[in-house]
Amino acid sequence: MAKQIEVAELDAYYGSHKAIEGITMTVEPRSVTAFIGPSGCGKSTFLRTLNRMHEVIPGATVQGKVRLEDQDLYGPDVDPVSVRRTIGMVFQRPNPFPTMSIFDNVAAGLRLNGRFSKSELNGVVEESLKGANLWNEVKDRLHKPGSGLSGGQQQRLCIARAIAVRPQVLLMDEPCSALDPISTLAIEDLISKLKTEYTIVIVTHNMQQAARVSDRTAFFNLAAQGQPGKLIEMAETSKIFTNPTEKATEDYITGRFG
Amino acid sequence: MTTATLKTGIQPISTGRRVKDRVVQVLVYLAFLVAVVPLVSVLYLVIKNGLARFDMEFLTHSMRNIGPNDAGGGAYHAIVGTLEQVLLASLIAVPIGLLTAVYLVEYSRGGRLARAISFFVDVMTGIPSVVAGLFILAFWILVLGFEFSGFAGAMALSILMMPTVVRATEEMLRLVPMDLREAAFALGVPKWRTIVKVVLPTALTGIVTGVMLAVARVAGETAPVLLTVFFTDSINTDPFHGPQMDLPLFIFSQMQLPNQTAIDRAWAGALTLILIVMLLNLLARLISWWRSPVRKG
């Protein structure tokens, strides 16, 4: 189920502004990869190029290669919709669909692609909510609106929604930055559980979080404001946090800048 | 108190600001009253004068074979005409307006075509209603040779509805957070399905309100209907053939007659029109309430 991602010489643009430059990396399957770096260094932009969400923004373009196993995601005959079905995403702010109930939110990915029976949906919804550690909290109010949940529950609802379509990779863009410590802990536990089945990439501003949940860490930086962001260093998380190769990485993780 | 003030530097509210606050408050209330007085007095007059003839006969009979000086008669033919014409006009204007707004917000990416469409929608908003009537009269009836009909009137009314529907829908679609679209895209939902299943339902309440405003506006139009639907005293339930009637026309024709029975009929017609628009509004509220997530909560 989980698959490896290979990125080669990837540049991403907003109009004529180059946001990230020359990124080459490999994301291992069944593991958690964390992206850290100062604001504006292009972590989120890079994350969004991995499932072709970058190009949703008007004027945004990508050059370079992203391969999932052997398939080039930016190949000429690749359907971006199908890429996004394979590589799911969880956003910074919880964004359940306000017009839908908890059940409908989780079922949305399947139902909006329209090919499932009622009993299949019931099974998938229960399984996904259990997978997101939310089932026990919401099983009695599945048909209440998702917007009535707390922030942390909403974020877990969004994770349940993302895993309901059974993606092979799960991208998370600062999934805990809007949450309190207890909810953050719940999400981190969930990430550790999910990595047995999915390839997970997480962007975070919280270095303790990167250290806690990730197996490998990539550090991004930009030379100056307005310059494109670059990948500085990527290695085992323990190595990045104890013995980084680059001076910039060490400065960042020891809090000397950024 | 003064010592406390001195110690912390926090001041009590000054007299000047207290006075300003009062003055502005009074002005706001006054403005509200000035806005409400004409509204209430119109309602009061219409209800008071309209009730005289607002009865079952009025609602179920036409003006056929009723002379200018006769009592009795009713607006049934006009009520039927108004409902049919407004329904037809909505059937034309709402899909076109909705799709135009969807194109402008979701697909255009601010191109030249989008700017041109926006500009012409603004121009259409300013079209006097009689011009829309003249256009259909000149084009549909005189050039193409069709007869006067409710449908011709509906076309004229749809021209007036369209810009309102486009503008209202556009505003509502822009209010739908980008987050929701991205959430749907990230689930692998195609763009058109995202729009149909996520964006439009989220904006539904606002769109319904906009459509109802447009309906209320055209339901009261007289000039374009006079030029395209013409006029009749008989019941004509077929909006595609022959002259019809509608409530504004009914009011217009009755109030020109120099006797009290006709004037009473005109007032009752006005009351009926207000009630119809109000009922349609209630219906729309009901629909958007029934669709809203709050109800499920």
Side-chain angles (χ1 to χ4, degrees):
Chain A
M1 206 169 175
K3 289 194 174 148
Q4 169 180 298
I5 305 174
E6 271 177 84
V7 183
E9 289 299 321
L10 187 107
D11 303 342
Y13 297 82
Y14 291 104
S16 58
H17 171 69
K18 195 186 233 182
I20 51 174
E21 183 177 67
I23 292 184
T24 300
M25 72 159 65
T26 303
V27 174
E28 300 294 340
R30 282 173 223 283
S31 70
V32 179
T33 305
F35 293 172
I36 59 170
S39 294
C41 69
K43 319 178 284 289
S44 293
T45 303
F46 177 60
L47 190 77
R48 291 166 62 96
T49 63
L50 297 182
N51 69 341
R52 299 195 63 168
M53 282 295 287
H54 178 64
E55 64 207 70
V56 167
I57 297 162
T61 51
V62 174
Q63 277 170 13
K65 280 205 169 16
V66 178
R67 263 193 292 271
L68 184 68
E69 298 292 288
D70 288 325
Q71 195 180 12
D72 183 5
L73 299 183
Y74 284 91
D77 53 350
V78 170
D79 178 7
V81 169
S82 145
V83 170
R84 292 174 203 140
R85 221 169 276 171
T86 314
I87 306 180
M89 191 161 193
V90 176
F91 297 84
Q92 184 169 359
R93 277 193 317 183
N95 52 3
F97 300 123
T99 53
M100 297 184 192
S101 67
I102 293 170
F103 183 95
D104 292 341
N105 260 289
V106 180
L110 298 179
R111 201 177 266 162
L112 295 182
N113 293 321
R115 43 176 187 195
F116 286 87
S117 72
K118 186 80 193 157
S119 59
E120 272 179 302
L121 281 180
N122 283 335
V124 171
V125 167
E126 181 173 345
E127 195 185 315
S128 307
L129 283 170
K130 279 179 176 159
N133 290 340
L134 191 61
W135 176 252
N136 286 329
E137 288 157 72
V138 300
K139 65 179 178 216
D140 300 323
R141 45 173 174 160
L142 286 176
H143 296 283
K144 301 267 167 85
S147 44
L149 298 174
S150 76
Q153 288 173 325
Q154 285 189 20
Q155 192 63 299
R156 276 180 283 151
L157 177 62
C158 292
I159 293 174
R161 182 175 67 182
I163 60 180
V165 291
R166 299 172 200 274
Q168 288 159 5
V169 180
L170 204 53
L171 307 177
M172 297 181 157
D173 190 357
E174 298 182 42
C176 304
S177 65
L179 306 181
D180 68 279
I182 308 245
S183 311
T184 301
L185 187 67
I187 304 262
E188 285 179 8
D189 287 347
L190 178 56
I191 292 172
S192 310
K193 184 175 122 188
L194 290 175
K195 80 171 178 183
T196 56
E197 275 184 83
Y198 300 91
T199 306
I200 293 177
V201 183
I202 177 172
V203 169
T204 178
H205 269 296
N206 180 332
M207 277 179 279
Q208 288 84 1
Q209 181 171 59
R212 281 194 302 265
V213 301
S214 73
D215 302 301
R216 287 164 64 79
T217 298
F219 173 62
F220 291 76
N221 201 359
L222 68 177
Q225 211 60 45
Q227 298 285 311
K230 290 180 180 174
L231 175 64
I232 303 297
E233 182 173 3
M234 183 173 183
E236 300 297 317
T237 298
S238 54
K239 180 170 183 308
I240 289 276
F241 280 96
T242 54
N243 184 22
T245 317
E246 300 287 330
K247 177 86 170 58
T249 315
E250 190 182 337
D251 287 351
Y252 183 74
I253 59 168
T254 52
R256 238 167 283 168
F257 88 103
Chain B
M1 174 122 176
T2 33
T3 49
T5 306
L6 288 177
K7 255 185 208 158
T8 60
I10 297 172
Q11 309 274 331
I13 301 173
S14 70
T15 325
R17 265 183 57 202
R18 249 184 244 280
V19 171
K20 270 186 230 160
D21 182 44
R22 273 279 155 228
V23 169
V24 172
Q25 212 171 11
V26 168
L27 281 180
V28 169
Y29 279 115
L30 266 181
F32 170 72
L33 275 182
V34 169
V36 160
V37 164
L39 195 71
V40 171
S41 67
V42 164
L43 262 181
Y44 172 74
L45 262 184
V46 170
I47 292 172
K48 193 186 89 173
N49 294 323
L51 279 178
R53 270 306 321 279
F54 192 74
D55 47 34
M56 276 318 281
E57 189 190 358
F58 184 82
L59 292 176
T60 54
H61 287 70
S62 72
M63 288 299 290
R64 191 179 175 87
N65 293 332
I66 294 188
N69 296 314
D70 296 344
Y76 178 68
H77 58 317
I79 295 171
V80 169
T82 287
L83 289 178
E84 284 182 353
Q85 286 155 29
V86 168
L87 181 72
L88 279 174
S90 308
L91 284 181
I92 302 170
V94 172
I96 297 179
L98 212 65
L99 290 175
T100 306
V102 166
Y103 171 77
L104 285 176
V105 177
E106 307 289 338
Y107 288 96
S108 70
R109 300 198 162 193
R112 193 176 296 169
L113 179 62
R115 284 202 301 275
I117 292 175
S118 275
F119 174 73
F120 283 113
V121 168
D122 282 342
V123 171
M124 276 177 82
T125 317
I127 291 181
S129 57
V130 67
V131 174
L134 278 173
F135 166 68
I136 296 297
L137 175 70
F139 179 70
W140 182 256
I141 295 173
L142 298 181
V143 173
L144 295 182
F146 289 96
E147 56 185 328
F148 290 111
S149 69
F151 180 64
M155 283 194 293
L157 295 181
S158 70
I159 294 175
L160 298 170
M161 279 183 81
M162 246 180 267
T164 319
V165 175
V166 173
R167 274 279 165 262
T169 310
E170 203 187 336
E171 293 304 317
M172 287 304 135
L173 292 182
R174 285 194 202 285
L175 283 181
V176 175
M178 200 58 208
D179 288 6
L180 294 182
R181 295 187 183 90
E182 294 200 334
F185 292 155
L187 290 174
V189 180
K191 184 161 182 170
W192 70 271
R193 273 202 100 107
T194 304
I195 293 168
V196 174
K197 297 284 185 179
V198 176
V199 179
L200 287 177
T202 309
L204 182 77
T205 316
I207 295 174
V208 168
T209 309
V211 169
M212 286 326 293
L213 277 178
V215 165
R217 181 189 164 191
V218 299
E221 285 293 349
T222 318
V225 180
L226 185 61
L227 293 172
T228 51
V229 177
F230 199 54
F231 177 90
T232 176
D233 277 340
S234 312
I235 297 168
N236 175 10
T237 52
D238 179 0
F240 295 97
H241 297 287
Q244 267 192 317
M245 194 59 166
D246 77 358
L247 281 166
L249 273 186
F250 177 84
I251 299 164
F252 180 68
S253 60
Q254 291 301 319
M255 68 173 203
Q256 286 175 321
L257 301 175
N259 51 47
Q260 195 53 44
T261 49
I263 304 282
D264 283 346
R265 280 194 291 264
W267 279 112
L271 180 59
T272 314
L273 186 56
I274 288 178
L275 285 177
I276 286 181
V277 169
M278 219 177 71
L279 279 179
L280 287 178
N281 250 306
L282 273 178
L283 193 72
R285 289 283 139 106
L286 215 66
I287 291 173
S288 49
W289 168 81
W290 173 65
R291 291 281 308 158
S292 77
V294 183
R295 186 181 63 101
K296 297 171 193 151

